[in-house]
């Protein structure tokens, strides 16, 4: 297990998860959110190639509607 920060909350995840697997493990169901790892935006095309590492800071941002 590794420890990472997800939206400011300390979480434990399995080792060697990519972004897609992490999203599934954290049970995010909403479509159309943005992911940043260590303040760097990760495009959807790179989710499967971006591996989450010990100590990473992950921000998962859902779109907000309003005006």
């Amino acid at each position: 297990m590794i420890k990472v920060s997800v939206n400011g909350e300390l979480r434990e995840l399995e080792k060697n998860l990519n972004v897609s697997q992490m999203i599934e493990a954290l049970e995010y169901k909403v479509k159309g959110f943005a992911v940043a790892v260590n303040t760097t935006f990760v495009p959807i095309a790179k989710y499967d190639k971006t591996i989450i590492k010990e100590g990473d800071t992950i921000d998962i941002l859902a779109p907000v509607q309003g005006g």
Side-chain angles (χ1 to χ4, degrees), residues 7-59:
N7 292 343
E9 181 180 331
L10 193 60
R11 303 289 297 262
E12 285 192 352
L13 298 172
E14 295 290 329
K15 286 183 180 180
N16 299 317
L17 292 183
N18 63 35
V19 171
S20 294
Q21 294 165 325
M22 176 203 64
I23 290 168
E24 189 174 311
L26 294 173
E27 299 181 354
Y28 275 84
K29 307 268 190 250
V30 178
K31 297 278 185 192
F33 47 82
V35 176
V37 177
N38 299 323
T39 70
T40 301
F41 170 73
V42 180
I44 292 172
K46 293 190 176 185
Y47 279 14
D48 292 338
K49 296 176 184 162
T50 303
I51 303 298
I52 304 302
K53 298 177 188 81
E54 176 80 32
D56 279 351
T57 299
I58 299 150
D59 294 300

